[in-house]
Amino acid sequence: MRDNTQTPEAQVAQKSKISATGVQVHYGDTHAIKDVNVEIEDKTVTAFIGPSGCGKSTFLRCINRMNDTIDICRVQGKILLDGEDIYDPKVDPVQLRAKVGMVFQKPNPFPKSIYDNVAYGPRIHGLARNKAELDEIVERALRRGAIWDEVKDRLAAPGTGLSGGQQQRLCIARAVATEPEVLLMDEPCSALDPIATAQVEELIDELRQNYSVVIVTHSMQQAARVSQRTAFFHLGNLVEFGDTDKIFTTPEDPRTESYITGRIG
Amino acid sequence: MTQTSLLKQDARTARRNRAEARFKAYGLIAIGIGVLMLVILLGTIFSRGAGAFQQTYLTLDVTLDAAKLDKKGKRDIEDIKKVSTFGYAPLLNDAFAQLVDSGAASSDLKPKEMSGLLSKGAEARMRDAVLDDPDLIGQTVSFDFLASGRVDGYLKDRVTRDSIANDKNISVEQLDLVDQLRAAGLLKKKFNLAFITGADSSDARPEAAGMGVSMVGSLFMMLVVLALALPIGVAASIYLEEFAPENWITDIIEVNISNLAAVPSIVFGILGLAVFINYMHLPNSAPLVGGLVLTLMTLPTIIISTRASLKAVPPSIRDAALGVGASKMQSVFHHVLPLAAPGILTGTIIGLAQALGETAPLLLIGMVGFIASNGPESISEGLLNPNSAMPAQIYEWAKRADPAFYERAWGGIIILLVFLIGMNAIAVLLRRRFERRW
Ligand SMILES: Nc1ncnc2c1ncn2[C@@H]1O[C@H](COP(=O)(O)OP(=O)(O)OP(=O)(O)O)[C@@H](O)[C@H]1O
Ligand SMILES: [Mg+2]
């Protein structure tokens, strides 16, 4: 299903960051992901779309091994990050997650101050040598999360006291503060107003300069706006994967077409 | 369809409203009964126990005759020590004789009978004062002596002239003297600190018995329980809740912990007797053993409440921590545990309060019925020397025949209740404090 008709300059700029082959996920008896193969490129935004319950979040959580925390979840297949198998027994998932950051579907700030929310990651990874550096990292992350102006006067206030949309942007700031190489975002804008959404999309665009971003979204427009590549999931299958332009204009699979035109989902 | 007015209740709504009103009434009645019981309980405890905090004292001038206390006259402390409490008894008799001579009271009783108004510890009290300060010898010193349990009971209306008809410990003539001394202001009830700080006493001196030493016993037991049950309980809960794989072994452990919480406490007592005393040869009646037994009893309570409060922390917090690259342990100690702390604390304090009030297991390891006359002097003594505990002390007093002890049992319950209420208040305060931080 890999789309090979790329423009020459794209081929130069893009190299595979994550490569998944034959991924199967079971939750007990539920077969949630069925034999999925995906190449996620560096410095690219990849969008996962599909109807509710089709396995987008599940697949996303395979990429930073968050599924390890679910006892009944079994992952099979191969997922390579920079050519290394992340499910190799030698891999420590904690080290992996420092490289592959995640923003969750539901905003989940720590019940600590706004500052501590963002500073927590850099602290445990030893990214700052002193308070001034940490302050700088926190400010930069909050600016990138498009929330700095709203919280700069109350960094000591609890993160849980923010509105839902603000909390989500705080979580984005928290995720970028550790400078991950890959950022996984599970419906990051579902609780945001159009202005904040635009800011987050701008951030995603900026992150693309250095990182690879995977975003799950229910908004076709958002997928079309921010992503270069789109994967369409349906009932655990990867139905179609290719350049965003192509998927939205000339989809190959009839299911993709029905979904993006609003007939299934 | 006919138009129905909202201003009029239809039959179904009226029925529902009546049912609701009935239910509310049941609830109110239930609460009313509960509150009434509590009021009766507290009222009884306080009306019966309050007396124990007051004790009757007689103020008496005693001439510490040098000829009797220090025959050689050298004021050598070793010589003075040789005079036993028996040597002090005549001084007391003289003091009473003098009292009658001075006209403060008139009585046909012999001085020795008059001395019978005082607690049997009066001589020891004088001797202690003299040994403390030998310069008192030769002077006339005013002492506040504890009156005997019967005299105290007379002032508290527990003992009456009718009730002592067959009592060998006190006579009607003695009560006449008591009335005179009372009128003269020499005999009166005062606040009795010794009840809170003192040691238990033998059957003959109910007026001198106090809770203090058993309180220390309880304190040391609670220290043992806290030092063992809290870390073990919390560590076990964290492991079970956060790290343990979900399999049948974990399930069995879980079921057994729940079962353990329901095991009668006396079973833990017999276990303590068999293991700690008979097998490990730890000393009988020691707060260390009591603490170990109560630890076994408290562990399930702490584990269950800790696990419940760990479970109550939303999983999204764990995800968030893992998502930024925290290890499992970091996510637990940095995020989950602080959130669960108020619940853990409450559970621990409730467990401790339970342990504090527990009597049955102490019966089996010999902490009941033991009279410790002195408080411990060091921590190791406190842990290893035989002692009693507050509820055991109360039980012990309630068993004794003399009604004066019965009053002390109620007084002891008041002290125990004060401790329990204090602990619960601490739990509430700590919880509030923690909660405000998030
Ligand atoms: N923890 C879990 N335990 C058991 N089954 C799960 C679990 N999480 C997801 N599933 C199942 O896996 C399938 C895929 O779920 P997933 O959350 O990945 O869907 P999704 O595409 O992200 O949906 P949405 O768009 O609503 O977020 C669903 O059938 C769901 O019931
Ligand atoms: Mg999802």
Side-chain angles (χ1 to χ4, degrees), chain A residues 61 66 69 71 94 97-98 100-102 104 108-112 120-121 124-125 158 174-175 178, chain B residues 244-246 316-328 330-331 334-335 338-339 437-438:
Chain A
R61 289 163 62 91
M66 278 305 282
T69 60
D71 275 319
V94 172
R97 289 182 203 128
V100 184
M102 182 152 197
F104 294 83
N108 55 354
F110 299 128
K112 294 177 186 280
Y120 181 67
I124 58 173
H125 297 303
R174 181 176 68 191
T178 50
Chain B
E246 270 183 36
S316 64
I317 298 291
R318 296 174 179 86
D319 285 351
L322 296 178
V324 294
S327 67
K328 186 111 188 180
Q330 284 172 327
S331 98
H334 294 166
H335 302 287
L339 292 179
R437 271 212 265 131
W438 331 333

